[in-house]
Amino acid sequence: MIVLDILSAIWTFFATYVLQKAPYMVGFLTLLGYALMGKKWYDCIAGTLKAIIGMLILNAGSSGLTSTFRPILAGLKDRFGLTAAVIDPYYGQNAVQDAMNAIGKSFADTMILLLIAFIVNILLVRFNKITKCRTLFTTGHVQVQQAATAIWLLMFALPGLAGEGTTVTVPMMVVMAILLGAYWAVGSNLTVKPLQELTDGAGFGIAHQQMFGIRLNYWLAGKLFGEKRDKDGNVTRPVKKVGDMEMPGFFSIFNENMVCTAILMTVFFGTIMAIIGKPYFVEYQGLSETENFVWYCFDKSLNFAVYLAILQLGVRTFVTELTASFQGIADKLLPSSVPGVDCAVCYGFGDANAVTFGFLAGLVGQIVAILLLIVFNSPTIIICGFVPVFFDNATIGLVCNEKGGLKACLILPFISGLCQVFGSAIIAGWCGLAEYGGYLGMWDWAVVWPGFTAIMYYLQYVGVAIVVVILLAIPQIEYRMDPEGYFLITEDYEAYKRHIAAKQSAQAGK
C-alpha cells in the first residue's frame, strides 16, 4: 500500500510539473536522451538546463506576443458590443470547462484522457515499422487544450457513451484516447517532411494545432506555386521567395526582419487600435488620460518585433540540445523517431519575414471571413484570437514560402484564415461551445476535427471506426509513396537528399 502511495505521488508530481509543462518535458527528454547515450553526468545536466532555459525563453517570447496582442483583438469585441465566440486555445479550454460543469461532468477527466492518449502515441511510435508513425508529441500545454476540446466533441457526437454520472465512462475514455493518441502521432508525423526540408534536417516535427494544415498547405504550395522544370531540367516556373525580393531605394529596409516586422505591425495593429479608440484603452488597459495615444500604439506595436526576437533566441538555445539528445531515445527506445515540438520552434529557420507575411495574410483572411459572417447574419459570430491567427498562419506562411515562394506565402495563409473562421463558426455553433464564449479555433480543429465529428455524429460507432482507420491509413499511404526514403529522412538527412536527387534524375531521364 505504501509503495502504491509513493508511486502515485511520483506520478502525480510528474504529470503536474513535467508532463503538462513543455519546458520541463523537453528537459526530461533531453536528460533521458543524453543518459541513454552514456554522456557524463555534468554534460547531461548542462544539456538539460540549456534545453529547459531555451524553452523558457521561447515561452517568454510566445507569452509576450499573446499577452500584448490578445487584449487588442478582444477590444474589437468589447468596443463594438459583439456577442461572439473567441477562437483561442485558452478561451476554448475555458469554454469546455464551463460546458462540462453545466452538464454535471468533471473537467478533471481530461487529464486522464491526456495520459492514456500519450501512451497510445508512444506505442504507435515504438512500433513505427508497422504503424509508420515517427514523431512523439511533446507539447504538454497543447495536449491539455486538445484533450479538453476532443472530449467535448466526442460527448456531443456520442452522448450515450458519456454515461449519466459526473465522471466520463471508461469506454468513452478509451475511445477518445485512441482517437486523440492517433491524431497526435499521425498529425505530427505529417509535418516531418516539410520541417526537414525547411530546417535542412534539424530533426524535429511539429506537435501543435495545425499539423494537417502544415502538410496540406505544403503540398498546395508545391503544386500551385512550386518550381517547375522541363524534361531537360530547365526551370520553366521559378520560385521567388520573400527573401528574394529586391526593394528599391528606401524600401530595402524591409529586408531586415526586425525592421520589417516593426513597420508592418505598427501599420496593422496601429490601425486596429485607432479603430477601437483611446477611451477603451484608458478604461480597460491602464492607459493614462494624459498619455499620447499615438505613441502608445507605436510602443505596443514594436513589442511584436521584440517578442519575436526573444522567441527566436529561445529556439536557437534549445533545439540543438533536444535534437542531439533525442538521438539516444531514438536509438534505444523509439527507433527512427524524432520529437514533435511547438510550432514556434520552426521560426528560427527559413526566411524570418515569411513569418510576418504569413501572419498578416492570415489576419486579413480572418477579418474578411468575420465581416462575411456579420453581413450574412450568421448565428455564430467569431472574434479572432491572437494564438490561431499568428501561430497557425505564420507557420503555414513559413512552410509555404520555402516550397512555393512569396505567392504561396500570401495566398495560402489568407485561405487558412478563412477556413479558421468559417470552420470554427460551424462547429462551435453546432456543438454548443459558442454559447460559452470560445472555441479552440486553430486550423486542424476548424477544418479536420469538424469533419471527424460529423462522421461520428451521423455514423456513431461505425463513424468512430472510420475516423481511426483514416488516421492510421495516412502514414501507410505516405510510406508507400517513398518506401526507401520514408525512414531515411529522419535517420540520415544527407543520404535522403541524395536519394531524392537520384529519383529526380531518373524521372527527368524518362
Side-chain angles (χ1 to χ4, degrees), residues 300-347:
K300 284 290 184 183
S301 300
L302 288 186
N303 282 326
F304 191 98
V306 173
Y307 288 123
L308 192 57
I310 293 172
L311 186 150
Q312 291 166 341
L313 171 63
V315 170
R316 290 191 294 270
T317 303
F318 91 88
V319 163
T320 301
E321 298 296 331
L322 177 62
T323 53
S325 66
F326 201 83
Q327 192 60 48
I329 296 175
D331 291 343
K332 300 291 177 63
L333 302 179
L334 301 173
S336 302
S337 66
V338 294
V341 295
D342 194 299
C343 64
V345 174
C346 68
Y347 301 160

Side-chain angles (χ1 to χ4, degrees), residues 171-323:
M172 168 72 83
M173 297 299 291
V174 171
V175 169
M176 191 68 259
I178 292 172
L179 284 170
L180 194 58
Y183 164 72
W184 288 343
V186 172
S188 55
N189 185 75
L190 279 172
T191 69
V192 169
K193 187 174 181 180
L195 266 295
Q196 286 291 80
E197 291 184 5
L198 174 68
T199 65
D200 195 29
F204 62 84
I206 294 299
H208 208 257
Q209 319 261 29
Q210 65 296 93
M211 301 176 293
F212 280 72
I214 289 171
R215 187 55 182 265
L216 176 62
N217 284 283
Y218 160 87
W219 178 78
L220 289 173
K223 285 292 182 182
L224 301 178
F225 307 101
E227 184 178 270
K228 293 290 185 183
R229 295 176 178 269
D230 60 24
K231 63 181 181 179
D232 298 320
N234 300 313
V235 176
T236 58
R237 186 175 71 186
V239 171
K240 185 175 184 179
K241 298 182 181 180
V242 171
D244 296 331
M245 292 190 299
E246 292 291 337
M247 300 293 185
F250 71 90
F251 281 103
S252 62
I253 63 175
F254 287 99
N255 290 330
E256 287 289 336
N257 174 45
M258 286 188 186
V259 176
C260 176
T261 300
I263 292 173
L264 291 176
M265 290 305 101
T266 300
V267 171
F268 274 81
F269 276 105
T271 301
I272 291 173
M273 294 170 76
I275 291 172
I276 295 171
K278 182 177 180 179
Y280 172 83
F281 291 95
V282 170
E283 184 174 358
Y284 296 106
Q285 300 299 323
L287 177 65
S288 169
E289 285 277 9
T290 59
E291 190 172 346
N292 185 289
F293 185 55
V294 174
W295 188 261
Y296 176 80
C297 295
F298 178 64
D299 179 65
K300 284 290 184 183
S301 300
L302 288 186
N303 282 326
F304 191 98
V306 173
Y307 288 123
L308 192 57
I310 293 172
L311 186 150
Q312 291 166 341
L313 171 63
V315 170
R316 290 191 294 270
T317 303
F318 91 88
V319 163
T320 301
E321 298 296 331
L322 177 62
T323 53

Side-chain angles (χ1 to χ4, degrees), residues 26 28 35 78 205 247 270 297 502:
V26 167
F28 172 75
D78 298 336
M247 300 293 185
C297 295

Side-chain angles (χ1 to χ4, degrees), residues 121-129 131 133 332-335:
N121 185 184
I122 292 172
L123 291 174
L124 288 172
V125 176
R126 177 62 185 86
F127 298 102
N128 58 23
K129 296 303 180 184
T131 66
C133 295
K332 300 291 177 63
L333 302 179
L334 301 173

Side-chain angles (χ1 to χ4, degrees), residues 8 20 22 78 152 159-160 176 193 213 249 261 264 270 335 343 357 359 396 401 414 424 429 449 458 475 500:
S8 176
Q20 296 182 47
D78 298 336
W152 178 261
M176 191 68 259
K193 187 174 181 180
T261 300
L264 291 176
C343 64
F357 279 49
F359 157 56
I396 289 171
N401 177 65
F414 172 81
S424 295
W449 276 90
Y458 290 109
I500 292 298

Side-chain angles (χ1 to χ4, degrees), residues 104-121:
K105 290 292 184 184
S106 172
F107 184 75
D109 289 338
T110 58
M111 297 302 102
I112 302 173
L113 167 60
L114 188 154
L115 169 61
I116 304 172
F118 189 56
I119 293 172
V120 172
N121 185 184

Side-chain angles (χ1 to χ4, degrees), residues 308 312 347 351-360 390 393-394 397-398:
L308 192 57
Q312 291 166 341
Y347 301 160
D351 193 310
N353 282 338
V355 171
T356 304
F357 279 49
F359 157 56
L360 292 176
F390 178 75
N393 298 304
L398 187 62

